[in-house]
Amino acid sequence: RRPADPTSSRIAATLGAGSGATLTITHVRPRPMGLAFGSAGAVEYEQAEDALDAEVARVAADRLAAYPGDWKVVVRQGHVAQELLAVADEVDADLVVLGHRSRGTVRDAILGSAASSTVHHSRRNVLVAVPPR
């Protein structure tokens, strides 16, 4: 996995800059389903997740260095859409901005999509940023 889509963070920063809105960058660690790790594998998996969390924070700091308002990074674990919406409720977000890397219509329908689930379950405005191809 890679850190959050640069398109969504750029759009959020652009929209928030005019009002000095506080940005909450949310990184959700999905729960691995059905993975059986031995103790060494579990430790290695956790270390990889910790490294990704640190990379998300580093990239956010780079991208938001000139942002005129406050911002923070929140790390959660669980179902991506549920956690994004929980954080949005906690901070009383005006807008949820998230990226979407489509795998194609059929694969999105079969595998599900964090963006689709977020849009369908949100009581808040949601902007889905699709990066250019």
Side-chain angles (χ1 to χ4, degrees), residues 29-52:
R29 293 178 167 193
R31 285 195 187 111
M33 296 286 194
L35 295 177
F37 291 123
S39 60
V43 168
E44 187 175 330
Y45 181 83
E46 189 67 25
Q47 289 172 341
E49 287 292 333
D50 291 344
L52 184 58

Side-chain angles (χ1 to χ4, degrees), residues 24 26 74 76 80-97 118 122-126:
T24 303
T26 305
V74 174
R76 294 291 183 89
V80 176
Q82 289 174 355
E83 294 302 323
L84 287 174
L85 294 175
V87 171
D89 286 344
E90 290 168 16
V91 301
D92 195 23
D94 293 321
L95 177 67
V96 176
V97 180
T118 301
S122 182
R123 295 170 303 197
R124 299 175 183 283
N125 292 317
V126 178

Side-chain angles (χ1 to χ4, degrees), residues 1-79:
R1 296 193 331 256
R2 64 186 175 111
D5 167 48
T7 303
S8 59
S9 60
R10 182 176 40 83
I11 289 171
T14 300
L15 293 172
S19 63
T22 298
L23 302 182
T24 303
I25 310 302
T26 305
H27 170 64
V28 181
R29 293 178 167 193
R31 285 195 187 111
M33 296 286 194
L35 295 177
F37 291 123
S39 60
V43 168
E44 187 175 330
Y45 181 83
E46 189 67 25
Q47 289 172 341
E49 287 292 333
D50 291 344
L52 184 58
D53 296 346
E55 179 68 2
V56 167
R58 185 195 65 73
V59 169
D62 288 349
R63 290 183 186 157
L64 298 172
Y67 185 71
D70 293 331
W71 61 271
K72 63 182 174 181
V73 175
V74 174
V75 177
R76 294 291 183 89
Q77 182 169 355
H79 183 271

Side-chain angles (χ1 to χ4, degrees), residues 107-131:
R107 288 189 69 193
D108 283 350
I110 293 169
L111 298 175
S113 163
S116 177
S117 185
T118 301
V119 167
H120 286 96
H121 293 99
S122 182
R123 295 170 303 197
R124 299 175 183 283
N125 292 317
V126 178
L127 187 150
V128 179
V130 180

